[in-house]
């Protein structure tokens, strides 16, 4: 009977476990408040009982992890905004600084207004430069804020992952323990019911068979009793384990996880709020600084002498600038001509008629030839100069002048100018003489420009030649071939055809700069027939010619036809490549075509002396390829540029045979 009564007691005791709030691990009673750690208290309505209930529940950790993930996402979103805004501000500031630099350099050119305009215009540019500096500082500040916020979000994300693993793993262990308790209870209840039926004599179960045959009712009852006791022990153990783990979760692990996650949320939100406040402050500082640059405070302007943008613009004096510009030409007006009066000769009586004056006035012996190397021939000497009919281009194209050893060039006030086939006036072409005597008569009395005095102060660019398009030079000077090109070709053919490395060796940089300044001042002051005018340095003349072509706004072969020339150079068949280049050359503008023709004929004569100067067509093409075609976007096109020039030089008389 004792054995029969024990299952009932066991069943009654086990099916009613002691609540976890009143039993410790050893079965003793505990007060419920003894293991509950206080949760972080929030301010205001956040500290209400509802918040505490949610945080102490099984969904508390998951709820806080989701909220922390939102804080991290918001921080990263604002960090990305700061990065993009920083990039935009930097691009704007750098672009503004480049614009200020370009505008400042452009304002110093001679083709722009001077006087008070350029002075105050530069002040306007300086104000914009300060605005750009403010933008750069603002961009750097935003970039630093982006890095700080991004680092904060990364640190918070690492903390979130750590506490997610710690907090959720503890919750899962408790859930698994409770699941095992439910399974153990179900097994225990099932065995208890079977044992109760066997003990009360219920025969519904039928006969039970074991390994050694059918079991008796007593054996079957004993077997069920033994299994029920084992299930009872397992069930009690599972309950004790689940109670212990939940006690540890509720008392220690969950409060720690909740507190740590709340700290991470507060840290992330505080950091985001701080960066937002800094962003607002930096925007106010930027706008205030820009406003003070454009319109300083009156007290500040008085102390630092910084006028506002409006005051700077109002200080431009148009009338004074105009009068000053006109007055700067006072030295070029020349002497006043005496009043023309009729003065009869005393020997003539009052009734005699005045004899007609001799219409053939003698030239003034004090007048010299016009400077700059443009040989002009008097009408009285035209009978000595044979005409220059149009003919095919050949080695003699550049030698249209007669041999100066056989005739002289007297001066006359009535002069005739040579004209090119295009209708523009330009000096006659020349070829290198094959005699020791000078080809040209001596130039006029040398000036500081013709002697090349390096101590001479910088000359103002009255009639600039460099960095001016060929179309503008043609409209201004009336010559299809610029005078600087003609002078340089003339000097090289007179003194440089046998110089080794001509066009390859660099000249003196000071010489080139001085010659460039003289040409920009007034090209008529230059006479390269006299080697003193280029310091006896023909390499500097060659460098000056290449510098002129490099400074053209549009290259000699033009940007428009650049890709066409490259495509033609890729053709392998020489005849097809030559014909393609010929067609493109014919489509060039008139001044470009005339200048290219003169240069090509000249370079052809240079390569004819390659035995002395070692400059064949290939070497000349290397020197003039990028110079005449400009630099393309693809550096690999440099080889094709050389091939274009080399093909033109190798087929000079085939390409220009129609001129």
């Amino acid at each position: 009977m004792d054995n029969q009564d024990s299952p009932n007691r066991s069943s009654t005791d086990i099916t009613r476990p002691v609540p976890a709030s009143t039993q410790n691990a050893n079965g003793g009673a505990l007060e419920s408040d003894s293991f509950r750690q206080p949760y972080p208290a929030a301010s205001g309505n956040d500290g209400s009982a509802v918040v505490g209930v949610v945080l102490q529940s099984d969904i508390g950790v998951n709820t806080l992890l989701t909220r922390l993930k939102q804080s991290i996402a918001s921080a990263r979103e604002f960090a990305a905004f700061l990065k993009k805004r920083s990039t935009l501000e930097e691009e704007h500031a750098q672009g503004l600084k480049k614009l200020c630099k370009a505008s400042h350099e452009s304002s110093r050119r001679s083709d722009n207004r001077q006087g008070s305009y350029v002075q105050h215009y530069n002040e306007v540019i300086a104000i914009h430069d300060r605005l750009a500096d403010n933008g750069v500082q603002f961009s750097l500040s935003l970039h630093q804020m982006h890095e700080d916020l991004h680092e904060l979000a990364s640190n918070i994300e690492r903390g979130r992952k750590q506490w997610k693993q710690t907090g959720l793993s503890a919750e899962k262990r408790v859930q698994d323990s409770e699941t095992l308790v439910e399974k153990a209870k179900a097994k225990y209840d099932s065995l208890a019911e079977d044992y109760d039926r066997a003990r009360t004599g219920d025969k519904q179960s039928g006969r039970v068979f074991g390994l050694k045959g059918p079991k008796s009712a007593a054996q079957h009852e004993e077997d069920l009793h033994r299994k029920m006791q084992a299930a009872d022990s397992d069930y009690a153990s599972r309950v004790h384990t689940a109670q212990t783990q939940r006690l540890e979760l509720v008392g220690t692990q969950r409060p720690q996880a909740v507190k740590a996650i709340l700290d991470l949320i507060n840290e992330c939100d505080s950091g985001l709020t701080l960066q937002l406040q800094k962003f607002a402050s930096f925007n106010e500082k930027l706008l205030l600084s820009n406003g003070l640059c454009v319109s300083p405070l009156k007290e500040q302007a008085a102390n630092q002498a910084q006028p506002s943008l409006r005051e700077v613009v109002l200080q431009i004096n148009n009338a004074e600038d105009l009068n000053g510009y006109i007055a700067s030409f006072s030295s070029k007006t020349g002497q006043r001509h005496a009043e023309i009066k009729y003065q009869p000769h005393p020997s003539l009586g009052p009734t005699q008629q005045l004899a007609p004056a001799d219409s053939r006035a003698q030239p003034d012996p004090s007048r010299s030839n016009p400077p700059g190397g443009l040989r002009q021939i008097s009408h009285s000497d035209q009978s000595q100069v044979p005409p220059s009919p149009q003919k095919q281009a050949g080695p003699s194209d550049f030698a249209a002048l007669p041999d100066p050893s056989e005739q002289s060039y007297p001066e006359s006030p009535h002069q005739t100018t040579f004209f090119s086939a295009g209708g523009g006036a330009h000096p006659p072409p020349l070829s290198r003489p094959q005699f020791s005597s000078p080809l040209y008569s001596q130039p006029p009395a040398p000036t500081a420009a013709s002697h090349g005095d390096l101590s001479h102060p910088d000359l103002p660019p009255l009639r600039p030649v460099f960095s001016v398009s060929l179309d503008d030079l043609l409209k201004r000077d009336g010559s299809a071939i610029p005078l600087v090109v003609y002078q340089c070709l003339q000097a090289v053919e007179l003194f440089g055809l046998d110089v080794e490395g001509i066009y390859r060796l660099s000249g003196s940089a000071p010489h080139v700069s001085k010659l460039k300044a003289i040409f920009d001042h007034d090209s008529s002051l230059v006479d390269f027939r006299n080697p003193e005018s280029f310091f006896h340095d023909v390499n500097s003349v060659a460098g000056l010619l290449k510098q002129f072509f490099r400074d053209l706004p549009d290259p000699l072969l033009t940007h428009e036809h650049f890709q066409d020339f490259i495509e033609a150079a890729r053709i392998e068949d020489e005849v097809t490549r030559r014909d393609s280049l010929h067609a493109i050359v014919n489509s060039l503008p008139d001044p470009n075509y005339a200048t290219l023709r003169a240069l090509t004929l000249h370079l052809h004569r240079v390569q004819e002396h390659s035995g002395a100067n070692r400059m064949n067509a290939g070497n000349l093409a290397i020197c003039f390829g990028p110079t005449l075609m400009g630099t393309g976007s693809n550096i690999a096109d440099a080889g094709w540029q050389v091939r274009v020039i080399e093909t033109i030089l190798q087929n000079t008389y085939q390409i220009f045979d129609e001129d």
Side-chain angles (χ1 to χ4, degrees), residues 10 37 86 114 323 381 431 442 451 512-513 553 561 614 632 657:
S10 177
Q37 301 295 332
S86 173
Q114 303 298 319
N323 294 335
D381 294 329
S431 65
Q442 292 297 325
H451 272 281
V512 174
S513 299
H561 296 86
R614 301 184 181 275
D657 56 351

Side-chain angles (χ1 to χ4, degrees), residues 157-210:
E157 177 65 22
R158 285 193 293 269
R160 188 189 74 87
K161 291 180 179 180
Q162 176 185 354
W163 283 105
K164 178 181 179 181
Q165 181 180 2
T166 302
L168 295 184
S169 61
E171 298 280 351
K172 191 173 186 311
R173 284 197 301 270
V174 173
Q175 293 176 1
D176 293 343
S177 298
E178 293 176 351
T179 302
L180 293 176
V181 168
E182 293 176 359
K183 291 182 179 180
K185 183 177 183 302
K187 181 179 180 181
Y188 169 73
D189 291 341
S190 176
L191 289 174
E193 290 176 0
D194 292 343
Y195 175 71
D196 187 58
R197 284 194 298 268
R199 187 170 60 85
T200 57
D202 188 1
K203 302 301 182 181
Q204 293 180 359
S205 59
R207 300 182 65 183
V208 179
F209 293 89

Side-chain angles (χ1 to χ4, degrees), residues 13 27 34 171 192 209 211 231 251 303 330 343 433 486 539 543 609-610 624:
D13 294 340
S34 62
E171 298 280 351
F209 293 89
L211 295 177
N303 296 333
S330 59
Q343 297 179 353
Y486 169 74
N539 284 324
H609 292 73
S610 60
F624 280 91

Side-chain angles (χ1 to χ4, degrees), residues 529-606:
R529 294 172 299 175
N530 183 0
E532 293 182 359
S533 61
F534 53 85
F535 321 106
H536 298 275
D537 184 6
V538 73
N539 284 324
S540 295
V541 176
L544 182 70
L545 178 63
K546 293 193 293 183
Q547 183 68 40
F548 171 79
F549 288 121
R550 281 195 296 266
D551 289 350
L552 285 176
D554 191 25
L556 182 62
L557 299 186
T558 71
H559 289 303
E560 178 184 357
H561 296 86
F562 178 86
Q563 196 60 38
D564 297 335
F565 279 112
I566 297 299
E567 294 299 329
R570 299 178 188 272
I571 301 175
E572 294 298 332
D573 183 69
E574 295 182 358
V575 176
T576 306
R577 182 169 69 251
R578 179 201 66 193
D579 293 342
S580 299
L581 292 175
H582 191 177
I584 302 172
V585 167
N586 287 340
S587 65
L588 291 174
D590 291 343
N592 298 63
Y593 180 87
T595 305
L596 177 63
R597 176 181 179 274
L599 177 65
T600 304
L601 295 175
H602 164 73
L603 295 180
H604 185 77
R605 283 187 285 275
V606 172

Side-chain angles (χ1 to χ4, degrees), residues 20 163 258 476 525 576:
W163 283 105
V258 168
R476 188 189 70 187
L525 297 177
T576 306

Side-chain angles (χ1 to χ4, degrees), residues 215-242:
K215 294 182 180 181
S216 63
Q219 290 177 341
H220 180 57
E221 180 181 354
E222 183 66 24
D223 188 27
L224 289 176
H225 184 267
R226 185 173 60 254
K227 290 181 179 180
M228 187 186 64
Q229 286 182 338
D232 177 64
S233 299
D234 181 65
Y235 175 46
S237 174
R238 298 289 185 184
V239 170
H240 177 71
T241 302

Side-chain angles (χ1 to χ4, degrees), residues 123 139 191 210 237 281 354 382 390 395 487 496 514 541 566 573 647 657:
E123 293 182 13
S139 172
L191 289 174
S237 174
S281 175
L354 178 66
Q382 287 184 3
Q390 294 292 331
Q487 289 279 8
K514 187 63 179 179
V541 176
I566 297 299
D573 183 69
T647 303
D657 56 351

